[in-house]
Amino acid sequence: MEGEEEASGAVIDEIYSNGGEEKRRPIISGEQLDIEAYASLYSGRTKVTRLLFIADHCGNSSMQLEALRMAYDEVKKGENAQLLREIVQKIDGRLGPNYGLDQAWSESVDRKAEQRKEKLENELNAYKTNLIKESIRMGYNDLGDFYYAHGAVGDAFKNYVRTRDYCTTSKHITTMCLNTILVSIEMGQFTHVTSYVSKAEQTQEGLEAVTVAKLRCAAGLAHLESRKYKLAARKFLETGPELGNNYTEVIAPQDVATYGGLCALASFDRTELKNKVIDNFNFRNFLELVPEVREIINDFYSSHYASCLEYLGNLKANLLLDIHLHDHLETLYDQIRRKALIQYTHPFVSVDLRMMANAFKTSIAGLQKELEALITDDQIQARIDSHNKILYARHADQRNATFQRVLQTGSDFDKDVRAMLLRSSLIKHEFNAKNSRKL
Amino acid sequence: MDSLEALVAQIQGHSSSLEDLPLLHNLLKQSEDLLQSEGPRLASYLLQLEPSKHSLGYLYILEAITSAPISKEQVNEMVVSAAAFINACVAEQIRMAPDKFISLCKKLKEQVILLETPIRGVAPMLTAVKKLQPTSERLTTLHPEFLLLCLLAKCYKTGLRILDDDIFEIDQPRDFFLYCYYGGMICIGQKRFPKALELLHNVVTAPMSSMNAIAVEAYKKYVVVSLIHHGQFSVHFPKYTSSVVQRNLKGFCQIYLDLANCYGTGKISETETCVQTNRETFEADNNLGLVNQAVSSMYKRNIQRLTQTYLTLSLQDIADTVQLNSPKEAELHVLQMIENGEIYATINQKDGMVRFLEDPEEYKTCEIIEHIDSSIQRIMTLSRKLNTMDELLSCDPSYLGKVGKERQRFDFDDFDSVPQKFNI
């Protein structure tokens, strides 16, 4: 990557510098999130939800107002009056009269909604009496779409689930699954997501590549939410490039790269990281969209921890505004940092804590505390010489450990068997006493 | 009276040969009422008998004397004569009338406690226990009495000798509970914590049909000793604990479980506040000394944890991590632990540094080989015992009856494995 054709002295310097002083390609990172660009990646309801999340969690009010304005425009294009009311409340008149509560619009939307609902329900009843499976299915489906557009996600979910009984071809089942998955993600109930993903994957006939990619993403999201980072990483990495921009109601391809990359860094070991991420041709297409994550992964693999952690720090502020990553970012970052520490100490017999503190940009005392925690957790086999500030690797003596275990097992067995014999004697006594009482 | 004279003559005559002993025994059983009524006169007749030859008869008469209320002056005499009898009697003869012997010893115990010199009873009780048990593996009712006397007299070492025998057969569950409880207390007194844990564990997990005050007290001590010895305590009961215990025991000992939780956090100040707030309860249960030992063991545990992560550490750092007040205190603690063999380290006073060393045990010496060998032998004997017990049980008629009842009948061939009379 960097110029390594100089003499070995330069190589040693390079190891110590940890990639801190290399010439970096100008990568846009750390600046404030460009909300328009971000929002254009998504469509549908998730766009609004994400904008609202940003508005709630970002620090400054100009970003907040920008996000709320875009959310308002987006909702106006749809038919969700309830959501509009919420947004207006949040705006609180700060954006001027154009963004106030448009009563006329709300009322007309509500009226139309009532009419359409009645029409759909009547149609559905008609179909039910006729007992035509296909029509009933479409009726429920339309009802589900209607409720979804109006923000009643719970009812939408119920209706989509009802279409299940009337599905005849595998295409129907796939559609039903995709719809329920979409609604479940909105509702935040990821257990349903997992079950419907597996249901869709079990369909007899082959699925289109796009659908497969969509299902993988959904499964990845579900795993991410349930904190199973390794499984989430695997699912995201298996997503094919056919996904493209076809699933923007849920996830953007940049997100696939970010989520997949970070989860992989936090949970994979070195071989898996190389095989599944760095050498993964399909995933490379995604990584190109988010060059920072690509740099992070490459730096980590080539042990340039200082720059890796720097990139991570830069990205943090923006990643905190993402609805799916928000709760997990701290954990993921912690895990990545721990892995970096462990990987750093792994090849050495002794490590100078001063240089290590430089590489990880902390003080020696802080580093000592972190290492102490890792050693107590048995992640690093080493001991700290606090006087000279050196970390010495220490490999457990297998022979002694075996002897200790043997002696311990022997005495445990002894204790347990004696206790058992005693207990059986007591039980026999009780049993005899009971019998003699009966007689 | 004549009948009494005749009885004494019978005793003298028949005690020598083994075949006559059962006859004598029956005779004595029939004469019980006679003996009870003749209370005060019996003492003179006692002088005509010798405890070493006529043990059975002597026992009956002595027991009749002691069961009557005794005046204060006679108590001392009674103790002396009972002790002398126990030392001199013949084991086989007294084993024919165990309850009499037991009640005699119990009386002895009571008198000795009344006189406030429990130590006088320790030696006679020990002899009594040894003579009463048919094998060293059997628990008798006298075991807990003996242990109680040892506790009161603070002769812990004598108690330990009895505790080192393994017990496999039990007469009465209540004896067992008391034996384990007192035994646990003696081991705690001698600081043999692993054995104490084992005994207390046996009380708590013994099969029982209703809650038992002994089990509650034993559990309280078990929690604290577990903290001292293992540095942690798990609230899980093993599977074989009786359901009564699993449901109800925690309710009685909540304070101790809170103490265990505080200990688990590793913060000494919190644990000390916990002890302070519950001081009266601990005192009332006579566990305050034990609890204080647990708190001081926290320091030890924290220092031991440091040996796993550090090669050298300054005394100042040790004092800070373990929450001691000064490096001097830390040095004292470390010094004591080195002397007790709890850690391996060297203190460099010039730099104020402690260097932690590895356990020098190489497992290469003869002693270790002998230790391993004896453990293997022990376990082999245990295995053999288990096998014999298994065989005995499979021949037991009540077991076979149950098995015969519950078997499934699939096939004509199935009927063959269990004999006909057990198929119900």
Side-chain angles (χ1 to χ4, degrees):
Chain A
M1 259 205 313
E2 306 71 43
E4 274 179 276
E5 55 268 10
E6 291 107 279
S8 58
V11 173
I12 296 182
D13 283 336
E14 202 226 84
I15 294 176
Y16 288 160
S17 71
N18 281 290
E21 292 102 37
E22 60 174 24
K23 295 184 283 291
R24 248 182 276 148
R25 272 166 269 162
I27 291 172
I28 313 153
S29 61
E31 357 175 293
Q32 231 175 39
L33 188 62
D34 185 352
I35 300 192
E36 283 212 35
Y38 182 75
S40 63
L41 293 172
Y42 303 99
S43 67
R45 216 185 131 88
T46 188
K47 186 169 175 180
V48 180
T49 329
R50 281 173 192 254
L51 286 168
L52 284 176
F53 188 84
I54 294 178
D56 285 335
H57 285 90
C58 71
N60 61 58
S61 61
S62 63
M63 264 183 93
Q64 196 182 21
L65 288 175
E66 177 79 9
L68 287 170
R69 188 179 60 78
M70 297 191 63
Y72 188 91
D73 290 334
E74 187 66 25
V75 174
K76 259 277 178 73
K77 292 186 215 151
E79 296 168 350
N80 195 342
Q82 175 60 25
L83 201 53
L84 191 74
R85 277 191 276 269
E86 281 178 32
I87 297 181
V88 168
Q89 249 188 330
K90 291 205 176 131
I91 295 181
D92 216 9
R94 288 177 284 175
L95 285 171
N98 283 345
Y99 292 94
L101 185 57
D102 198 345
Q103 282 290 63
W105 183 86
S106 307
E107 277 171 19
S108 77
V109 161
D110 283 336
R111 242 182 305 123
K112 267 191 262 172
E114 273 304 310
Q115 286 175 342
R116 180 146 172 80
K117 184 163 134 185
E118 268 198 59
K119 175 162 165 264
L120 284 172
E121 281 178 356
N122 289 336
E123 280 181 9
L124 186 63
N125 285 332
Y127 295 146
K128 272 199 213 165
T129 41
N130 289 340
L131 282 178
I132 311 171
K133 259 195 167 178
E134 179 58 23
S135 316
I136 301 178
R137 187 191 73 83
M138 290 209 38
Y140 273 123
N141 211 3
D142 291 338
L143 214 58
D145 289 336
F146 166 77
Y147 278 123
Y148 182 66
H150 283 268
V153 270
D155 293 322
F157 183 75
K158 266 188 265 169
N159 282 302
Y160 285 131
V161 172
R162 285 204 196 114
T163 64
R164 178 165 151 208
D165 300 324
Y166 306 99
C167 291
T168 43
T169 67
S170 55
K171 189 139 191 340
H172 294 164
I173 300 180
T174 322
T175 327
M176 184 262 314
C177 288
L178 282 174
N179 283 333
T180 43
I181 290 172
L182 182 62
V183 179
S184 312
I185 294 182
E186 285 291 327
M187 289 200 292
Q189 287 177 5
F190 289 90
T191 38
H192 290 302
V193 173
T194 335
S195 53
Y196 282 102
V197 163
S198 43
K199 202 175 296 212
E201 281 172 351
Q202 277 167 2
T203 46
Q204 313 296 83
E205 300 160 16
L207 300 164
E208 305 176 345
V210 181
T211 325
V212 170
K214 286 191 194 178
L215 290 171
R216 293 255 166 77
C217 284
L221 270 178
H223 286 306
L224 176 64
E225 285 298 322
S226 53
R227 298 182 182 277
K228 297 191 189 124
Y229 300 121
K230 200 164 193 168
L231 294 169
R234 290 211 183 114
K235 286 287 173 187
F236 283 123
L237 292 168
E238 285 167 9
T239 315
E242 306 84 21
L243 180 71
N245 283 323
N246 293 327
Y247 210 26
T248 50
E249 313 91 67
V250 171
I251 196 173
Q254 283 85 342
D255 288 339
V256 173
T258 322
Y259 297 168
L262 284 179
C263 290
L265 258 187
S267 54
F268 284 179
D269 59 19
R270 262 180 91 80
T271 34
E272 238 185 323
L273 196 67
K274 177 133 179 71
N275 293 336
K276 294 219 174 120
V277 180
I278 298 179
D279 289 344
N280 186 339
F281 197 65
N282 284 337
F283 199 63
R284 207 170 284 181
N285 298 333
F286 287 114
L287 276 180
E288 289 301 325
L289 299 166
V290 205
E292 298 98 337
V293 178
R294 190 194 61 211
E295 288 305 309
I296 291 177
I297 297 180
N298 284 337
D299 278 341
F300 187 88
Y301 190 71
S302 50
S303 308
H304 294 141
Y305 301 108
S307 67
C308 172
L309 290 173
E310 203 180 317
Y311 278 129
L312 273 177
N314 284 338
L315 281 184
K316 189 171 186 175
N318 289 338
L319 286 177
L320 274 176
L321 295 173
D322 182 299
I323 38 173
H324 294 296
L325 264 189
H326 176 82
D327 301 320
H328 306 278
L329 206 61
E330 287 296 341
T331 331
L332 284 171
Y333 268 50
D334 264 340
Q335 284 188 0
I336 295 177
R337 194 183 167 80
R338 281 174 140 218
K339 274 191 131 56
L341 284 168
I342 298 173
Q343 201 174 274
Y344 187 97
T345 57
H346 191 79
F348 297 109
V349 166
S350 66
V351 176
D352 187 346
L353 288 183
R354 278 173 277 262
M355 281 202 265
M356 194 170 170
N358 253 344
F360 284 89
K361 301 272 192 318
T362 67
S363 64
I364 294 190
L367 181 67
Q368 202 165 304
K369 282 261 169 307
E370 283 187 76
L371 285 174
E372 198 183 310
L374 283 173
I375 295 176
T376 328
D377 272 345
D378 216 16
Q379 305 269 20
I380 300 184
Q381 272 80 45
R383 273 147 107 228
I384 303 176
D385 182 344
S386 159
H387 186 48
N388 301 324
K389 301 289 178 216
I390 300 184
L391 182 79
Y392 287 100
R394 171 237 219 172
H395 297 289
D397 189 341
Q398 291 283 36
R399 185 172 173 281
N400 280 2
T402 314
F403 268 101
Q404 270 176 345
R405 266 206 315 271
V406 162
L407 287 172
Q408 184 66 35
T409 317
S411 69
D412 284 343
F413 178 81
D414 193 334
K415 241 185 350 179
D416 287 338
V417 169
R418 269 184 297 126
M420 275 198 275
L421 287 171
L422 268 174
R423 273 197 304 275
S424 57
S425 170
L426 277 172
I427 294 179
K428 195 174 13 170
H429 183 274
E430 222 180 283
F431 184 70
N432 287 339
K434 247 193 263 180
N435 273 355
S436 57
R437 259 180 279 153
K438 266 193 233 166
L439 300 168
Chain B
M1 283 229 310
D2 280 336
S3 42
L4 210 50
E5 295 249 2
L7 187 62
V8 171
Q10 291 270 14
I11 295 174
Q12 284 171 323
H14 290 269
S15 297
S16 37
S17 55
L18 249 90
E19 306 85 49
D20 293 338
L21 279 176
L23 281 170
L24 185 58
H25 195 198
N26 284 331
L27 190 62
L28 284 169
K29 272 198 265 199
Q30 288 156 1
S31 329
E32 263 196 64
D33 300 326
L34 173 63
L35 288 172
Q36 293 290 0
S37 55
E38 291 288 341
R41 292 192 12 176
L42 289 171
S44 52
Y45 284 98
L46 210 52
L47 295 168
Q48 297 177 18
L49 296 172
E50 278 187 46
S52 47
K53 280 200 250 166
H54 312 130
S55 306
L56 195 55
Y58 200 99
L59 172 62
Y60 266 82
I61 299 182
L62 191 56
E63 202 273 328
I65 297 179
T66 55
S67 57
I70 306 180
S71 60
K72 272 242 167 79
E73 308 82 45
Q74 290 185 316
V75 164
N76 202 15
E77 246 181 65
M78 190 247 123
V79 166
V80 168
S81 56
F85 169 64
I86 295 176
N87 279 331
C89 66
V90 176
E92 294 83 23
Q93 291 200 14
I94 55 162
R95 275 189 215 141
M96 297 181 77
D99 0 296
K100 293 272 171 204
F101 190 63
I102 290 173
S103 76
L104 175 68
C105 293
K106 280 204 176 144
K107 270 281 162 168
L108 172 64
K109 174 197 106 180
E110 284 166 25
Q111 304 303 346
V112 160
I113 294 180
L114 216 65
L115 285 175
E116 296 193 2
T117 51
I119 196 159
R120 287 174 68 179
V122 169
M125 269 302 206
L126 182 57
T127 343
V129 164
K130 286 245 151 52
K131 288 196 179 165
L132 187 57
Q133 24 170 221
T135 66
S136 71
E137 293 176 356
R138 203 186 184 89
L139 184 73
T140 63
T141 323
L142 288 181
H143 276 88
E145 312 289 336
F146 168 66
L147 289 177
L148 179 59
L149 278 178
C150 285
L151 270 174
L152 289 172
K154 301 212 191 320
C155 303
Y156 298 137
K157 289 220 180 77
T158 341
L160 272 180
R161 273 197 292 170
I162 282 287
L163 284 172
D164 278 335
D165 291 332
D166 291 331
I167 302 280
F168 290 114
E169 289 151 33
I170 304 176
D171 283 335
Q172 278 284 342
R174 192 162 166 278
D175 300 335
F176 175 66
F177 292 141
L178 279 174
Y179 168 80
C180 286
Y181 181 61
Y182 292 141
M185 285 171 72
I186 290 184
C187 289
I188 294 177
Q190 286 290 97
K191 301 230 185 306
R192 284 181 48 171
F193 293 123
K195 188 135 181 86
L197 275 178
E198 190 190 326
L199 286 166
L200 292 171
H201 180 79
N202 280 340
V203 184
V204 172
T205 56
M208 55 179 101
S209 46
S210 56
M211 271 316 283
N212 196 320
I214 307 176
V216 172
E217 294 302 314
Y219 190 64
K220 293 181 185 170
K221 292 206 162 56
Y222 180 69
V223 173
V224 186
V225 175
S226 172
L227 288 178
I228 297 178
H229 185 67
H230 285 143
Q232 65 193 29
F233 176 72
S234 105
V235 275
H236 273 332
F237 288 116
K239 269 196 309 197
Y240 43 77
T241 332
S242 68
S243 47
V244 204
V245 166
Q246 281 186 0
R247 281 197 299 261
N248 298 329
L249 194 54
K250 291 196 190 146
F252 288 105
C253 310
Q254 194 50 45
I255 295 187
Y256 289 82
L257 294 172
D258 292 338
L259 178 67
N261 282 336
C262 287
Y263 192 100
T265 61
K267 297 211 180 58
I268 297 186
S269 41
E270 270 189 38
T271 326
E272 282 186 349
T273 25
C274 180
V275 172
Q276 278 304 103
T277 39
N278 295 322
R279 211 186 162 78
E280 297 88 38
T281 335
F282 289 140
E283 261 175 343
D285 290 334
N286 286 328
N287 283 335
L288 190 60
L290 209 56
V291 171
N292 285 334
Q293 276 188 43
V295 174
S296 59
S297 78
M298 273 184 92
Y299 291 110
K300 289 204 200 127
R301 197 113 350 244
N302 288 343
I303 296 181
Q304 267 175 338
R305 221 173 293 151
L306 287 173
T307 62
Q308 291 304 315
T309 44
Y310 287 95
L311 260 181
T312 63
L313 197 57
S314 70
L315 284 168
Q316 181 62 47
D317 283 334
I318 295 184
D320 291 335
T321 330
V322 181
Q323 292 154 36
L324 285 167
N325 290 328
S326 72
K328 266 280 160 230
E329 264 192 54
E331 189 177 337
L332 272 167
H333 272 251
V334 172
L335 194 60
Q336 219 172 19
M337 286 176 77
I338 298 177
E339 278 173 357
N340 290 342
E342 286 158 4
I343 59 171
Y344 303 99
T346 51
I347 306 179
N348 184 337
Q349 283 190 328
K350 188 166 74 122
D351 301 330
M353 279 280 158
V354 178
R355 193 181 184 83
F356 296 118
L357 308 163
E358 293 282 346
D359 182 355
E361 177 63 70
E362 288 275 303
Y363 297 102
K364 286 186 191 154
T365 59
C366 286
E367 287 90 37
I368 280 288
I369 305 284
E370 274 178 42
H371 183 50
I372 296 183
D373 197 45
S374 63
S375 300
I376 295 179
Q377 296 296 340
R378 214 177 135 76
I379 293 185
M380 275 166 44
T381 346
L382 260 184
S383 279
R384 248 173 277 153
K385 213 178 195 54
L386 256 182
N387 277 334
T388 10
M389 199 172 168
D390 188 36
E391 281 168 29
L392 269 177
L393 203 54
S394 7
C395 306
D396 189 310
S398 38
Y399 169 73
L400 285 173
K402 259 218 151 162
V403 166
K405 247 193 274 185
E406 293 172 0
R407 255 178 9 169
Q408 312 251 7
R409 318 276 157 92
F410 291 121
D411 197 32
F412 183 65
D413 296 336
D414 279 353
F415 283 87
D416 287 355
S417 43
V418 170
Q420 274 305 109
K421 75 170 176 146
F422 294 116
N423 291 348
I424 300 170

